[in-house]
Amino acid sequence: MGQRIDVNHLNIYYGDFLAVEDVNINIEPNKVTAFIGPSGCGKSTLLKTLNRMNDLVPDVHHQGDIRIDGTSLYDPRVEV
């Protein structure tokens, strides 16, 4: 049984630099999803934000909403 991931109006910043702008995506459970694009377009930055690896990088922050089965990825109850 998988979990649905909903991303709404996600912006990711390195300091003041906007690296990823206004991402909206719904990833359905048990489906294959691919991120395809040229080098430097933000694929890895988005994936690192979805699995909270960017929490460890100083000065990286985001705006927008990321939910897994309706619960915010950044809810204090979410086990990292």
Side-chain angles (χ1 to χ4, degrees):
M1 186 160 108
Q3 296 178 322
R4 178 186 170 109
I5 300 172
D6 296 306
V7 178
N8 295 298
H9 302 292
L10 181 66
N11 295 309
I12 306 168
Y13 295 85
Y14 289 102
D16 293 332
F17 175 71
L18 178 59
V20 176
E21 183 176 8
D22 200 32
V23 172
N24 296 286
I25 187 170
N26 303 104
I27 301 172
E28 296 293 334
N30 305 313
K31 301 289 181 184
V32 175
T33 302
F35 294 101
I36 301 170
S39 177
C41 74
K43 301 178 301 290
S44 294
T45 298
L46 175 61
L47 289 172
K48 288 190 294 186
T49 300
L50 292 178
N51 67 20
R52 297 199 52 181
M53 288 178 61
N54 276 338
D55 292 5
L56 305 173
V57 181
D59 216 22
V60 173
H61 63 280
H62 75 277
Q63 298 171 334
D65 190 36
I66 305 168
R67 296 191 172 268
I68 299 177
D69 280 345
T71 301
S72 173
L73 183 61
Y74 287 86
D75 186 298
R77 297 171 291 173
V78 172
E79 177 68 35
V80 179

